[in-house]
Amino acid sequence: MGSVQPNGQSLDNFGYFDDYRNMSNSQSRSVDEIAATFAALGQASRLNIVRLLLSAYPQGLPAGEIQRELGITASTLSHHLDKLRQVGIVQAAKDRQWIWYSVRSDTLRYLIDFLFEECCTRNRVVDPDTLELTDIGVPRPCPDCPD
């Protein structure tokens, strides 16, 4: 479901912007879906778009402002935003004549949780609640090594 902008209208109500290939909100995302999401982030322009949108979280930015900030042509930006929307990283909402894009924090949180899942369940290097390193994850000097 897309974010709602000041006029209360979400682009997800329009057929053109249906998220047919988005990852579901369930906790049973496949490894293939997660890999596709990471693949979308594996392109420098898309990563810069996500970082810019995170700096404007939760409101997001209109497409024109993203274009100006990053110096990306409109057609290239449209392609990148569509790819990020398809994998559920960003969402779009219409406000009068502008389209606003924002980050879906639930998807990013899921990716982080996925990365730390084994780390936290096997050796508890990262605290699953705070995502901070535990004492186990802090390197310690070797007691038998000379300084």
Side-chain angles (χ1 to χ4, degrees):
M1 182 169 159
S3 67
V4 176
Q5 292 304 309
N7 71 356
Q9 202 168 20
S10 170
L11 286 183
D12 289 333
N13 294 331
F14 296 89
Y16 178 78
F17 291 99
D18 284 346
D19 292 332
Y20 295 110
R21 293 174 283 190
N22 272 7
M23 295 188 310
S24 67
N25 286 332
S26 73
Q27 293 299 315
S28 62
R29 296 177 183 161
S30 73
V31 174
D32 289 340
E33 289 174 316
I34 295 168
T37 305
F38 278 117
L41 289 171
Q43 204 281 340
S45 293
R46 291 184 201 134
L47 195 55
N48 284 330
I49 291 167
V50 171
R51 292 186 72 202
L52 179 62
L53 290 175
L54 281 169
S55 74
Y57 183 81
Q59 181 182 358
L61 295 169
E65 191 168 333
I66 299 168
Q67 182 183 359
R68 280 189 299 279
E69 287 270 341
L70 299 178
I72 299 173
T73 64
S75 61
T76 301
L77 178 63
S78 177
H79 165 76
H80 289 312
L81 287 169
D82 186 51
K83 180 64 176 176
L84 291 169
R85 216 177 52 74
Q86 287 174 7
V87 296
I89 295 172
V90 301
Q91 57 195 1
K94 187 171 177 71
D95 178 26
R96 295 179 299 261
Q97 73 268 28
W98 295 284
I99 299 175
W100 286 69
Y101 291 90
S102 59
V103 169
R104 291 188 54 193
S105 60
D106 60 327
T107 300
L108 294 179
R109 178 63 186 204
Y110 189 89
L111 295 175
I112 291 169
D113 289 348
F114 175 80
L115 289 175
F116 285 107
E117 182 178 9
E118 288 302 314
C119 184
C120 295
T121 58
R122 289 188 181 200
N123 60 17
R124 311 295 294 170
V125 171
V126 176
D127 183 310
D129 297 321
T130 64
L131 294 180
E132 294 181 9
L133 289 175
T134 62
D135 288 340
I136 296 170
V138 177
R140 299 175 192 264
C142 174
D144 298 326
C145 300
D147 292 332

